[in-house]
Amino acid sequence: MNNCTIVLAAGEGTRMHVPTAKVLLPVLGKPMVSWVLTAARAAGVEDCCLIVGRSGDEVRKKVGDKVSYAVQSERLGTGHAVMQATAFLEAHRGAHCLVLAGDCPLLSAETISEAFRCHLQEGNAVTVISARVKDPFGYGRIVRDVTGGLLRIVEEKDADADERRIDEINSSAYWFETDALLEALPRIQNDNAKGEYYLTDAIELLLRAGRRAGVSVAKDADEILGANTQRQLLALQRIAQEKILDRHMENGVMFSGEDGVLVGPDVTIGPGTVIHPGSRLLGDTHLGQNCVIGPDAILEDSRVGDGAQIRSSTIEQSVVGDLARIGPYTHIRPNSVIGERCKLGNFVEVKNSVIGAGTSIAHLTYVGDADVGCRCNFGCGVVTTNYDGVKKYRTTVGDDVFIGCNVNLVAPVTVEDGAYIAAGSTITHNVPKSSLAIARARQVIKDNWVLTTREE
Ligand code: UD1
Ligand code: CA
């Protein structure tokens, strides 16, 4: 049978003071629960069940149906939360179950895997991931016997003065033998300070039943940090960011400053690329080598080739080719593909369009729903008029097309290869190959008009 994961995510996050489910709050642009799921998967556990509460629908919408869900309609404690996944656990008998807290995003796959090795090696029914911290206040403490063996976990509120001095804390991440967890769950009681069903009580129950329980100490105590308040969330983000920037710097990425820089956990950056302040690289974003990014570049779920330059611009769900020069002040909206060596400049917006290699669109232009060929030149102020108030239409522009300033391309319309369009034209009909289209009123001169009208 397969190993599985249960993620506790029913918390309402009242102390966050936001209407959003706590586990959806982002750390470096990625919801906390997604960090946890990524770590579980990277540690080799695919089958996952999320325990959700009242904000379950919101979580479901964001996380999707790659995982199972169990609903905990009343928040009666971590043990009670896991009880809601009994059917899921039954389907995973004969293997091991990883339990994680949805609000502890920094726990790494390495720490999870290390704990699993210890769990198997020691033949434990349960292995707790612990950490030694300077300030254990608020956490459950790991109580060991004189030989160092795990006795139980005691919560802050239930601990006596001696126990409160213990600096080894429970991370709220555990490996259980699935069958042992199923045995222990129905026996957990709520006779404690909080009147909750504590998952931590499973340890004493299993020990009393003659099973083994062990501890795997996380090497890096930062990994077990949880976020209960906005302040803690910001602190987590700072810790995560430092680690991520370190990793990129090891790979030859240069940061000219850290101010306002956000780099998400799944972003990859090629060596020799320079990131300037104010740049936010988020989601599924991948940058090539020797790029110059920022200052103030925002990239979300986008791919950028080698040697590209992106200055003070926003790129969303799009692809930018090698050696492209973007910005300042360019907005590339979703589903766009910008070819190699393209130049997009000041106040240019591109949406749902393909721009061929070497094309230059330098100023004050809107390109939406268009397929543009290679080596074209768009003058200042070109607009694809793609919307008639009801439907959107596409514009097609061939290779080597020259479009003068202030041209409207009224879609659907096609401009064939090598055509020229005169400045100020409003193009409503297709323009044939290598032709010149002029679609504007002819200029009229009235000699001495000013003088004559003034005399009147
Ligand atoms: C828990 C542990 C404590 C550990 C600490 C680490 C217990 C009894 N205590 O305490 O030993 O040091 O985490 O951060 O387990 N949750 C539910 N349903 C519930 C209660 C909680 O889904 O009914 C979820 C929360 O959303 C959260 C996680 O379980 O993701 C931990 O719950 P929380 O209330 O934060 O537990 P702590 O008191 O911090
Ligand atoms: Ca907590």
Side-chain angles (χ1 to χ4, degrees):
M1 204 54 237
N2 287 340
N3 288 345
C4 65
T5 310
I6 288 180
V7 178
L8 308 181
E12 295 297 330
T14 30
R15 279 180 289 166
M16 289 289 183
H17 307 294
V18 288
T20 313
K22 177 184 180 181
V23 294
L24 292 183
L25 295 181
V27 170
L28 300 174
K30 178 169 174 162
M32 287 200 273
V33 67
S34 303
W35 284 73
V36 174
L37 293 174
T38 301
R41 286 201 190 106
V45 197
E46 289 295 333
D47 293 353
C48 177
C49 180
L50 281 188
I51 315 289
V52 293
R54 260 180 289 152
S55 41
D57 288 347
E58 196 191 358
V59 177
R60 229 176 268 237
K61 217 166 125 195
K62 189 86 186 183
V63 175
D65 48 7
K66 274 195 209 130
V67 301
S68 321
Y69 294 88
V71 179
Q72 185 194 23
S73 36
E74 260 187 305
R75 210 187 123 98
L76 301 178
T78 48
H80 180 259
V82 175
M83 288 174 201
Q84 311 313 306
T86 302
F88 175 81
L89 288 169
E90 289 286 356
H92 288 84
R93 275 190 179 275
H96 300 274
C97 175
L98 170 68
V99 176
L100 298 171
D103 61 349
C104 290
L106 304 189
L107 191 68
S108 69
E110 292 71 43
T111 301
I112 293 170
S113 299
E114 176 61 39
F116 190 52
R117 273 192 293 277
C118 161
H119 180 72
L120 292 182
Q121 205 169 28
E122 296 179 358
N124 293 336
V126 54
T127 303
V128 181
I129 299 180
S130 78
R132 292 195 179 279
V133 296
K134 279 204 200 79
D135 179 14
F137 180 79
Y139 288 97
R141 311 296 207 283
I142 304 287
V143 183
R144 295 177 182 257
D145 64 19
V146 280
T147 66
L150 175 61
L151 282 179
R152 64 178 181 280
I153 295 174
V154 61
E155 294 305 301
E156 175 82 35
K157 284 198 171 150
D158 302 295
D160 63 29
D162 283 342
E163 288 166 337
R164 283 189 187 158
R165 272 193 287 276
I166 297 172
D167 68 350
E168 186 181 13
I169 61 161
N170 169 25
S171 69
S172 216
Y174 322 77
W175 276 102
F176 282 94
E177 216 174 75
T178 308
D179 294 51
L181 178 57
L182 278 165
E183 262 168 57
L185 280 178
R187 308 205 325 251
I188 295 175
Q189 304 290 319
N190 63 349
D191 48 354
N192 50 51
K194 278 179 150 179
E196 287 187 355
Y197 296 88
Y198 291 165
L199 180 60
T200 46
D201 285 356
I203 288 152
E204 251 186 303
L205 288 168
L206 288 168
L207 283 170
R208 259 190 256 140
R211 308 300 309 273
R212 300 177 76 102
V215 184
S216 176
V217 187
K219 288 194 189 84
D220 179 359
D222 284 346
E223 282 192 16
I224 61 99
L225 290 173
N228 297 316
T229 62
Q230 295 288 348
R231 177 55 67 190
Q232 286 172 346
L233 188 64
L234 191 60
L236 275 190
Q237 172 153 296
R238 199 171 301 130
I239 290 165
Q241 186 66 111
E242 202 163 305
K243 285 184 186 164
I244 288 169
L245 295 197
D246 281 348
R247 170 160 59 80
H248 288 299
M249 288 188 271
E250 296 272 306
N251 291 337
V253 177
M254 294 178 276
F255 293 87
S256 69
E258 285 176 69
D259 285 353
V261 169
L262 280 194
V263 180
D266 303 321
V267 171
T268 61
I269 309 177
T273 288
V274 182
I275 313 287
H276 291 303
S279 296
R280 301 162 63 93
L281 314 176
L282 299 174
D284 196 17
T285 290
H286 305 280
L287 309 183
Q289 311 182 357
N290 299 319
C291 295
V292 179
I293 308 295
D296 305 316
I298 299 174
L299 280 80
E300 284 177 22
D301 306 317
S302 292
R303 202 168 273 276
V304 174
D306 295 334
Q309 248 185 55
I310 320 261
R311 293 197 293 157
S312 306
S313 293
T314 297
I315 304 178
E316 304 158 301
Q317 287 96 51
S318 289
V319 178
V320 172
D322 295 347
L323 299 166
R325 282 156 64 193
I326 311 295
Y329 319 121
T330 300
H331 187 182
I332 301 176
R333 291 170 51 202
N335 203 20
S336 298
V337 179
I338 313 299
E340 289 176 26
R341 292 173 201 273
C342 276
K343 226 176 92 183
L344 306 189
N346 305 272
F347 307 103
V348 168
E349 175 179 342
V350 177
K351 183 214 79 176
N352 189 28
S353 294
V354 178
I355 311 289
T359 285
S360 168
I361 308 176
H363 348 256
L364 300 168
T365 289
Y366 172 63
V367 179
D369 305 312
D371 301 292
V372 177
C374 301
R375 299 172 304 276
C376 294
N377 187 82
F378 281 49
C380 181
V382 174
V383 174
T384 55
T385 70
N386 55 329
Y387 188 46
D388 62 6
V390 181
K391 261 190 82 175
K392 299 256 166 87
Y393 302 92
R394 286 195 84 81
T395 300
T396 306
V397 176
D399 293 333
D400 303 298
V401 167
F402 185 100
I403 303 179
C405 292
N406 224 23
V407 164
N408 297 313
L409 299 168
V410 182
V413 74
T414 297
V415 182
E416 292 181 3
D417 292 350
Y420 265 57
I421 298 178
S425 295
T426 290
I427 300 297
T428 51
H429 295 90
N430 291 355
V431 179
K433 200 173 168 199
S434 304
S435 62
L436 168 66
I438 308 176
R440 63 185 184 217
R442 194 173 279 275
Q443 182 170 320
V444 173
I445 298 288
K446 298 191 175 175
D447 282 329
N448 292 326
W449 178 86
V450 176
L451 299 176
T452 50
T453 46
R454 269 205 196 146
E455 272 162 28
E456 279 165 21

